[in-house]
Amino acid sequence: MSTISETKQVGRARTAGNKITPSKVLIYFILILWALICLFPVYWMLTFSLKDNAEIFGANVIGLPNNWLWSNYTEALKTGRMDLYFLNSFIVAVATILITLIASAMATYAMTRLVWKGRETMNKFFMLGLTIPIHAAIVPLYVVLGKTHLLNSYTALVIPYSAFSLAMGILICTGFMGDIPYDLDEAAFLDGCGVWGIFGRVIVPLMVPAVATVGIYTFLQCWNELMFATIFNSKEAYKTLPVGVQGLFGQYQTKWGPVGAALTIATVPTLLVYVFLSKRIQDSFIAGAVKG
Amino acid sequence: MKKTLGYKVNIFLFLLPALFLFVAVLIAPIAMSFYYSLQNWNGLKTPEFIGFQNYVELFTSGSIKFTWALKNALLLALFSTIIQLPFALWLALKLAKGIRGERAFLSIYFMPVLISTVVIGQLWLKIYNPDYGVLNVALRALGLESWCQIWLGDRKIALGAAFVPILWQYVGYHMLLMYAGVKGVPPELREAGMLDGCTDGQLNRYIVIPYIKPILRVSVIFAVTGSLKSFDLIYVLTNGGPVHATEVPSTLMISLLFKRNRYGMGSTIAVMLILLCFFFAIVINAVFRKEKVV
């Protein structure tokens, strides 16, 4: 992960001062074209979320809005119930992040700082979670949640999301916990701390950077998840953003502005997190892939 | 302190939350899915044990459309491997060389990965809209009226049209992995190559690409298993339609489960998907290992 910045200098130095050649122009042309293709849907979403049908459907298809129609946003929030879906997604995300963090930090502590037979096997067992598809759990979870009357509740999403985020959480925590010197554990032990004391007073306070990485990764996973959300929580009161937005589309077949506003509301938190933490997010995705 | 019973109990207590979640939500359901797949069950009546009959029906019955859906998923895996991955690799190689705006390009290319697939799907639905969508509007403006299509509504082209956003969204993901790999190539190796008079192309061909093979292997596995599992974008764009043209195993599974109440058959598809994912992961690993020797 750290290699990205280390070797950057070398690459820069090597190409600096080269002349402009036709092949270089072509490369830049393709790079910029692809960047525009990546940006266009988001740009288009932002602009048409502020337009009325007349502009979207002909007068001004891809330009900036002539009239900035903020009422699309109030309509998406009030009539489209985006405020409710947003709150639901937020509650589910926060609860999932908390459970994932606590469970994975505790398990990682047991598997890396405490000495016992089989701790490596246990770690491999948890790493299976990186490859198991969520399809495996759909029917059994649906049946069990139905029997326990937990369909259409926050629990119906928080528990599965936490479980599927666990492998990644443990993977990230293992990396961070390995950087904490063992001397600290011993010093705390000599001061009379038990395993819980060492965990609570030494390890947890030093795990703050891991909290951010695990938190972001888990947030992105559950904020965007569709399959569980659409099957387990179909009642209006518990719909998360992906399901709510999907429903809105049917409701506003012929009026695109409010849909654009709804899509923007669902996307802005992710984009904000990305703008401020792009490097950390990219690193967490790389870490997950290299191990899995 | 280490040998006492209390120590062991503490280890167990530390593991308990994670173990509980993991076993209850991932491990036990796999076993249950397999068990359900051997039953004829509509979710209400008592399940009836029918052995492997669901599996036989899955591959032989014309009305289930599983082989068709599987063919679509494999086609997506193929496109992903021969179009998406090479393009991602090209981008990674160019960016990792240290061009101007490297970070900005990297961050822009990766952005679509983070946006909710529902949002991406909704946007592409609008891009593809036959009357007002940007695509047809642009074609008309360019005087290419005859190229306009009902992109997602025409059985012949819907599959291709549905694949485009899927391939588009994850180029950045593979590019990021490969970019990290290319950046990890030791500078000495590059320098040695340059001293021997390698051109950029030769450097990439003989030094960089062999060096990042482990990452290419991961990318191929993700591309193939991801294609087999693909659900979100197809569900939003076409939900398998028109008339099953874009059906993939996951959309089929959902419609069997929740439209036709065939819990046993739905579980059979889930089990097949798990098996296929592991099968392809093993095969791809084997292929890459063999390549190394040659």
Side-chain angles (χ1 to χ4, degrees):
Chain A
M1 282 187 268
S2 58
T3 49
I4 290 184
S5 50
E6 276 163 23
T7 45
K8 193 182 265 177
Q9 309 301 329
V10 181
R12 281 268 162 73
R14 204 162 61 78
T15 42
N18 281 5
K19 272 178 277 171
I20 298 171
T21 58
S23 74
K24 231 178 178 180
V25 172
L26 180 69
I27 288 169
Y28 266 99
F29 175 75
I30 299 174
L31 291 179
I32 291 169
L33 184 69
W34 186 250
L36 291 178
I37 293 173
C38 287
L39 287 172
F40 175 75
V42 174
Y43 160 80
W44 191 49
M45 169 182 84
L46 292 174
T47 54
F48 87 71
S49 76
L50 290 164
K51 291 177 184 173
D52 60 16
N53 272 359
E55 281 194 64
I56 299 168
F57 293 160
N60 179 14
V61 179
I62 56 169
L64 289 171
N66 295 332
N67 297 321
W68 292 54
L69 209 66
W70 291 102
S71 61
N72 284 340
Y73 281 82
T74 34
E75 186 161 357
L77 284 170
K78 291 281 141 52
T79 326
R81 299 311 319 266
M82 286 301 288
D83 50 353
L84 173 70
Y85 308 145
F86 195 96
L87 182 71
N88 286 342
S89 272
F90 185 77
I91 292 171
V92 168
V94 170
T96 305
I97 290 169
L98 281 178
I99 293 179
T100 307
L101 275 172
I102 294 169
S104 47
M106 284 174 68
T108 310
Y109 178 73
M111 289 186 294
T112 60
R113 311 299 272 206
L114 302 181
V115 186
W116 48 287
K117 233 190 280 171
R119 59 182 196 168
E120 272 157 30
T121 318
M122 183 62 84
N123 193 33
K124 279 189 191 135
F125 175 65
F126 279 121
M127 287 308 115
L128 279 177
L130 293 174
T131 36
I132 295 175
I134 65 166
H135 304 68
I138 288 272
V139 188
L141 282 183
Y142 184 75
V143 171
V144 172
L145 290 169
K147 277 190 184 147
T148 48
H149 303 287
L150 283 171
L151 290 174
N152 293 305
S153 70
Y154 295 128
T155 322
L157 295 181
V158 171
I159 298 292
Y161 288 174
S162 309
F164 276 94
S165 308
L166 207 56
M168 191 65 193
I170 290 174
L171 178 66
I172 296 171
C173 284
T174 307
F176 279 96
M177 227 180 261
D179 293 340
I180 302 175
Y182 283 81
D183 301 352
L184 292 178
D185 299 41
E186 274 165 32
F189 177 63
L190 293 177
D191 285 347
C193 280
V195 282
W196 293 93
I198 297 174
F199 179 71
R201 295 199 195 144
V202 179
I203 303 290
V204 170
L206 291 172
M207 289 290 284
V208 175
V211 168
T213 308
V214 176
I216 296 163
Y217 192 85
T218 312
F219 165 78
L220 292 171
Q221 297 305 312
C222 54
W223 193 261
N224 295 341
E225 205 282 334
L226 176 66
M227 199 194 264
F228 281 160
T230 199
I231 293 168
F232 297 161
N233 283 3
S234 52
K235 280 223 180 92
E236 196 66 14
Y238 292 100
K239 276 184 185 172
T240 55
L241 280 171
V243 189
V245 168
Q246 183 66 2
L248 212 61
F249 180 69
Q251 199 181 323
Y252 283 97
Q253 284 282 8
T254 51
K255 220 174 154 192
W256 288 17
V259 176
L263 296 177
T264 307
I265 293 168
T267 313
V268 160
T270 326
L271 287 183
L272 276 182
V273 172
Y274 187 53
V275 166
F276 289 107
L277 297 163
S278 61
K279 185 79 171 59
R280 203 185 273 273
I281 290 176
Q282 290 163 6
D283 284 349
S284 74
F285 273 80
I286 294 168
V290 171
K291 181 85 177 197
Chain B
M1 150 187 138
K2 291 196 168 153
K3 294 275 159 67
T4 58
L5 179 67
Y7 188 72
K8 281 190 180 151
V9 170
N10 277 330
I11 291 175
F12 179 71
L13 288 177
F14 270 110
L15 285 172
L16 188 63
L19 261 183
F20 169 74
L21 280 174
F22 200 70
V23 171
V25 181
L26 276 82
I27 304 299
I30 292 184
M32 283 168 79
S33 286
F34 180 68
Y35 173 75
Y36 291 155
S37 77
L38 305 175
Q39 320 273 333
N40 182 11
W41 186 33
N42 64 7
L44 296 170
K45 286 196 205 123
T46 330
E48 173 201 356
F49 184 82
I50 53 166
F52 285 91
Q53 230 165 287
N54 280 331
Y55 290 85
V56 175
E57 192 186 343
L58 195 61
F59 283 98
T60 53
S61 154
S63 67
I64 299 278
K65 301 276 179 208
F66 180 70
T67 42
W68 171 259
L70 188 59
K71 189 215 76 189
N72 284 345
L74 291 174
L75 208 58
L76 178 61
L78 181 72
F79 282 131
S80 185
T81 324
I82 62 170
I83 297 172
Q84 189 186 39
L85 295 188
F87 183 57
L89 180 62
W90 184 86
L91 289 175
L93 289 170
K94 293 301 162 207
L95 289 190
K97 248 177 74 184
I99 61 161
R100 189 170 301 175
E102 178 181 338
R103 278 291 316 166
F105 280 124
L106 189 77
S107 296
I108 291 171
Y109 296 161
F110 187 66
M111 188 190 62
V113 179
L114 299 176
I115 298 176
S116 152
T117 40
V118 175
V119 171
I120 299 234
Q122 294 288 358
L123 287 172
W124 280 84
L125 270 178
K126 297 203 175 330
I127 289 172
Y128 279 140
N129 184 293
D131 300 318
Y132 309 114
V134 175
L135 188 56
N136 277 358
V137 168
L139 287 173
R140 268 181 228 124
L142 292 169
L144 297 167
E145 191 97 39
S146 59
W147 291 18
C148 289
Q149 303 283 352
I150 309 168
W151 298 99
L152 294 167
D154 184 331
R155 286 201 66 186
K156 287 194 206 96
I157 51 173
L159 189 65
F163 281 176
V164 169
I166 303 179
L167 297 175
W168 167 80
Q169 189 181 12
Y170 290 103
V171 164
Y173 179 69
H174 295 290
M175 175 224 55
L176 180 73
L177 300 190
M178 294 169 182
Y179 171 86
V182 178
K183 282 294 186 186
V185 176
E188 307 91 75
L189 274 183
R190 276 178 184 279
E191 280 157 25
M194 275 151 64
L195 285 177
D196 287 344
C198 283
T199 61
D200 267 356
Q202 287 168 327
L203 269 182
N204 289 338
R205 169 80 180 75
Y206 296 107
I207 294 176
V208 178
I209 293 180
Y211 190 86
I212 63 165
K213 234 173 204 176
I215 290 195
L216 297 181
R217 178 182 58 98
V218 171
S219 262
V220 175
I221 290 179
F222 279 3
V224 172
T225 55
S227 302
L228 287 169
K229 292 186 281 185
S230 65
F231 171 74
D232 290 20
L233 274 171
I234 297 274
Y235 179 75
V236 176
L237 288 169
T238 61
N239 198 10
V243 213
H244 296 298
T246 59
E247 203 80 76
V248 286
S250 302
T251 52
L252 196 62
M253 179 181 95
I254 299 299
S255 68
L256 278 171
L257 284 173
F258 301 103
K259 282 192 199 138
R260 292 157 70 178
N261 282 328
R262 295 202 56 178
Y263 285 48
M265 189 54 95
S267 302
T268 310
I269 294 184
V271 172
M272 281 311 299
L273 277 177
I274 302 170
L275 291 178
L276 283 166
C277 284
F278 276 100
F279 170 77
F280 275 100
I282 290 167
V283 168
I284 294 163
N285 272 326
V287 169
F288 270 84
R289 208 164 295 141
K290 211 172 152 200
E291 287 256 303
K292 221 181 198 172
V293 183
V294 173

